Amino acid sequence: MLKTTVVPLNLKEPEEKLKDLAGFVSHFGTKTVYLMHVYSGSEEEKERRVSVLKERAVLFRDRGMSTETEIRSGAIAGEICKAASEREADYITILWKKKNIVRRTILTSPDTDLLRICSYSTLIFKYRGPDRIREWVRDKDGRGRDNYDKAGAGSADTSQPGTIVYATDCKRADKKVLPYLKSVPFGARELHLLHVRERAPDPESDRKRKEELSDKLDEMAEQCRSSYDNIEKVLLTGSVRRRIAGETRARNADLLVIGRNDKVRPMDKVLGSTAESLPHQTHCSVLIIA
Amino acid sequence: MDKLKNNLVFVISLFMVLVFTVPGVFRPDILLDAATWIHGQILELFGWAYLVAAFLFVVFNLFLAFSKYGKVKLGKQHEKPQFSYFGWFSMLFAAGMGIGLIFWGVAEPMSHFLNPPEHINSGSGEAARFAMQYSFFHWGIQPWAIYIVMSLCIAYFSFRRGMPPLISSCFYPLIGDRIYGPTGYLIDILGVFATLFGIVTSLGLGAMQITSGLGEVFSFQAGYTAMLIVIGVVTILFMISTISGVDKGIQILSKTNIVLAITLLAFLLVVGPTVFILNIFTNTIADFASGFLNMSLSTNPFVGYEWTQSWTLFYWAWWIAWAPFVGLFVASISRGRTISEFVAGALIVPVLLTFIWFSAFGGSAFHVEMTQEAGIAEAIADDVSVGLFLLYEHFPLTPVLSIITILLLSVFFITSADSATFVMSMMTSGGQLYPPLWKKVTWGLVISGTAAVLLYAGGLEALQKMAITAALPFTVIMLLMCMSLFRGLRYEFTVEGGPEGEKAKEYIEEEIREPDR
């Protein structure tokens, strides 16, 4: 399902980050990677960039993925979308670079533009440091969790997502996302199904709604049961963006999965949709399923 | 838990009355100084916020009325309104404006005419035009928009969502179960505080005007004893009304009120300077409509700042302070109406009646003042309560008019006190629609007793300013209520499928199962 990806690079990315990224996407079952760079300068410089891009491609080939490279000219976000369409890519992968709100607003960011204009599934990859190593442990009560051990750095694959949080809207997006959660070989041990809901206007409706949603999460968990060692259901009330970001952090998630909602509310057009804003607020990688 | 909350809110509210009334009795000067300082600081620092908030309430109401949310009923979707249009409008008018309109119908235009902002010449044609325009503005759309916000929220969350009719209930979508804790208590206690002090000052002023009217008719010096007798008689009457229940007593009295008010209005329109009144009405409607946005957001920082503070901002704070009382009462009589119907009804009919009232009474006063140099404006500058009775001296059947006015004032007095007693009993009984009789009697006696004592000691003005102080937190509370109501309605449409969705179906099923409930 996530077989082909377009990975735009600005060629300033450190090698260790790209290595980690290559490892991460390899766990998605990705077979083909199109590395692309957008540049509109001199031919000489373009030649140099082509060779740098080719060097980067090796990192992906090392992970067993077939890799092609391409340099394009034009508006960055537009060209990435065009490339994804021409290559019939399943998703676009962005190596996320955090920018503060002032820089984002004044200077804009191609990544943000891409999230706004592109209707493709998108992986926003966030590098989490070189010394992070995961060891699967179980608590006394049998609950699984990741154990991070700096001393063991380099002894295991750091790029594999150990804990996935799926922030479900318990509506249309589930139809798009659940097939991915069930069949993509993420190799994650834990799946947390998280739903953040608005509080109902009265306690009785709130209680009923809670029960309804809990049943939905149970149903969803049942569908995904075979792909994960442990599935947790989390039902919260409050601001969707804030709670999702907080909860992924609290649960030390490696990947947040969300569905892109086709129905955009008027305020979202001004402030940006949840899918657009979450990558700025979460600490972990985000997979947006379109 | 509920019993504890009921008593907690009741006891704390009673204690608050003592805390603020005792200094008003023994050292009214200190209380007045303190209240004036706080009041002045609030208007100075947050005056602009009152203007913005009141304007936002207008926008919010119009948005609700014209949006898909307008179809939502304040009650079960199939429910019919409890009161007829005439009964409903009568009660709306009596609770919302009541005594104030009688008090200020002549006095306000005359006051602006004599003391306009510094850039307008006192007593000029421009001052007269300004006076009418701002009288319409101060008693027009914004006050009702403020009341509507409060009423809509309470009616929606109580009648449609099945929660107790309390201000705190409106916050469920925002703070959830915390409405049953200290935050909820605080909101409700603040509501009782604003209502009690608002009604006490309003009734104090009403008693003064009734006594001064009686003094004019029966030629006696209106002193404290007369005021005390007036308060005593009215207390007995409103206690009888309040004991008989909201759907009987207040409705009958409110309808009587409207008939009396329309009688006076018709008399002035026919016997008074009819064409002049109609000219004023038409002209001021145009001035009001064309200047609405300008007036709504004008803080006048360059010229007329003090005037704006002492009139417009004072009024806005006053209406907001009144909102818990009027809001709760209006909500309780509006069950079964749709949001569109409620907003349109409350924004059009009472406002139009108010405009006609000001045109007739203010216009007649202007006519008398300009053609006969009656000195009404100067007299009002000394004592606001005599304005209407001085106007009557220039018309035939003066004693009859004065007696009808006294009757009208008394009935308004009774309906206001009656509804305030009911509202405060409800607020201090966990939102029971039929609060215990002993609480109604207690609050009734507290209202009259406080008004009587403060009239004697002279602490009424201080208490009025304290009530207005409550408007500041209430402005924030009301803005949050708008947000909460919007969230509730949005939830109903997005999750429950709108007015005809699951919730409505559930109600119908419930009704079939328990038709008499």
Side-chain angles (χ1 to χ4, degrees), chain A residues 198-199 202 205 208-209, chain B residues 161 172 490-491 503 506:
Chain A
E198 231 177 299
R199 191 179 282 113
D202 62 272
S205 308
K208 280 186 189 165
R209 180 72 182 145
Chain B
R161 310 302 314 195
Y172 190 81
R490 191 179 63 190
Y491 183 93
K503 194 81 187 172
E506 267 175 38

Side-chain angles (χ1 to χ4, degrees), chain B residues 47-67:
Chain B
W48 60 273
Y50 285 140
L51 281 179
V52 173
F55 185 68
L56 284 178
F57 296 145
V58 176
V59 174
F60 181 69
N61 287 333
L62 294 176
F63 161 73
L64 286 186
F66 290 107
S67 69

Side-chain angles (χ1 to χ4, degrees), chain B residues 108-110 112-114 116 120-135 276 280 283-284 287 362-363 366-367 370:
Chain B
E108 175 152 356
M110 288 291 107
H112 298 336
F113 179 59
L114 199 65
I120 295 172
N121 289 331
S122 167
S124 64
E126 195 191 352
R129 189 175 180 168
F130 175 90
M132 286 311 298
Q133 187 183 359
Y134 267 85
S135 299
F276 187 69
I280 283 189
N283 190 69
T284 315
D287 286 345
F366 273 121
H367 192 261
M370 285 167 169

